[in-house]
Amino acid sequence: MDQSSSLKFLGSWADSHTHRVRLALELKGLVFEYQEEDLVNPSPDLLRHNPIYKKVPALLHDGRAVVESLVILQYIDETWTDKPIMPADPFERAIVRFWCHFADDKLGPAVGLVFSSVGDGQKAAVDGVHENLKLLERELRDGAFKGRRFFGGDNIGLLDIVLGCGSYWLAVFEEVMEVKLVDPDTFPLFHAWLRDFEEQKEVKETIPPIDKLLKYARGIRQMMLSLSTDTITTIIGAPATGNTTSNNDAAVEEIGLLQESIVL
């Protein structure tokens, strides 16, 4: 383990973006101090180091803060160059960045919508996830990642971290919502990749136990179901702003923050 500099990491145990950073630190063999944060009531430390978004994760390197998970991942790789998680070729790096953006901009919100959906909207939400998974399956079969064990090649890379630290929620949502998101017959390459990713030592040390994740997801889902349909629609359509004016608004705020932690 590299102990050459001071690293402090602020995160939340169930947050997929926290898991991204923790996994990268583990893969690099870096020693770090971890501080658990309450997503709803962030500490003064977190508010000081991330005053814009007021969210985890935040990485403090020799007292200097780096925030936002993708920014942190690239900072880690550029600062500690052993065991790289990004390819050396600029074009391949661009491909990885594109698909990381896809994960956050397309796939993640689609998965989140499944968890948020009620009534007739749930089937449409599941179809949305399937359409996005088809794109990844195609890339694994015929595209830039054809024939690779991981998106990063023989070893876990940045895109594996981004996609993998969040994809475990797919199995949780399948059980909680009673839907099928990753059919091994429909998405054989993605399914095989995910199973292989989850079996890696560093991943097992990073991702919380499935029963703990199930309990957490069920709790959030029950909170959502206790609200009116109009309020649930508010949660889906408008992320929490940090400003609450009533008990109902406070509930929307809390659920919105918790929900953000359980998507890619």
Side-chain angles (χ1 to χ4, degrees):
M1 285 268 182
D2 185 343
Q3 303 184 53
S4 60
S5 56
S6 171
L7 280 175
K8 185 175 181 179
F9 172 37
L10 282 61
S12 181
W13 75 269
D15 177 57
S16 58
H17 300 91
T18 292
H19 300 155
R20 291 177 179 183
V21 176
R22 179 184 284 275
L23 179 55
L25 293 170
E26 295 287 352
L27 289 168
K28 290 282 188 175
L30 298 172
V31 173
F32 58 92
E33 176 189 351
Y34 177 72
Q35 178 173 310
E36 178 69 16
E37 289 287 335
D38 183 334
L39 296 178
V40 180
N41 299 296
S43 71
D45 268 356
L46 182 58
L47 295 176
R48 181 170 67 256
H49 293 300
N50 191 2
I52 306 300
Y53 292 107
K54 303 179 176 66
K55 296 177 182 177
V56 296
L59 182 72
L60 308 182
H61 180 203
D62 291 336
R64 299 184 300 176
V66 185
V67 299
E68 291 297 297
S69 64
L70 279 176
V71 176
I72 297 172
L73 293 178
Q74 294 181 68
Y75 177 82
I76 289 170
D77 201 44
E78 292 168 0
T79 304
W80 294 276
T81 55
D82 289 345
K83 303 176 183 177
I85 57 175
M86 280 286 275
D89 180 75
F91 181 74
E92 289 189 15
R93 294 168 77 90
I95 295 293
V96 167
R97 290 189 179 107
F98 171 83
W99 286 104
C100 286
H101 178 71
F102 166 84
D104 283 346
D105 185 58
K106 295 287 188 182
L107 181 58
V111 173
L113 193 57
V114 172
F115 190 72
S116 305
S117 61
V118 291
D120 294 338
Q122 187 175 97
K123 183 181 184 304
V126 171
D127 290 343
V129 172
H130 289 166
E131 289 303 311
N132 282 287
L133 290 180
K134 284 178 184 177
L135 298 174
L136 285 172
E137 185 73 16
R138 185 180 68 190
E139 283 299 306
L140 287 167
R141 184 182 64 246
D142 302 316
F145 310 109
K146 179 180 179 180
R148 296 187 182 186
R149 178 184 180 186
F150 297 109
F151 288 97
D154 293 333
N155 300 305
I156 289 175
L158 186 133
L159 183 54
D160 296 282
I161 294 170
V162 169
L163 285 171
C165 291
S167 289
Y168 53 84
W169 283 114
L170 295 169
V172 174
F173 290 178
E174 285 182 339
E175 183 163 340
V176 172
M177 308 299 293
E178 298 182 344
V179 296
K180 191 64 179 176
L181 297 174
V182 186
D183 186 336
D185 294 328
T186 306
F187 309 110
L189 297 176
F190 181 83
H191 182 269
W193 162 79
L194 184 55
R195 296 288 84 80
D196 195 3
F197 174 84
E198 291 173 339
E199 286 301 311
Q200 302 309 300
K201 172 180 173 290
E202 295 86 355
V203 174
K204 287 184 175 181
E205 293 172 348
T206 298
I207 307 303
I210 187 71
D211 58 341
K212 193 174 180 182
L213 295 173
L214 279 166
K215 182 178 179 180
Y216 182 73
R218 287 187 175 120
I220 299 174
R221 180 66 178 171
Q222 285 302 118
M223 290 173 66
M224 293 183 66
L225 293 177
S226 70
L227 301 174
S228 68
T229 300
D230 287 345
T231 304
I232 293 173
T233 301
T234 299
I235 296 170
I236 297 171
T241 63
N243 299 314
T244 59
T245 57
S246 69
N247 288 338
N248 200 52
D249 289 340
V252 172
E253 175 78 8
E254 180 173 4
I255 295 170
L257 288 168
L258 294 173
Q259 183 188 335
E260 285 182 9
S261 72
I262 60 175
V263 297
L264 274 70

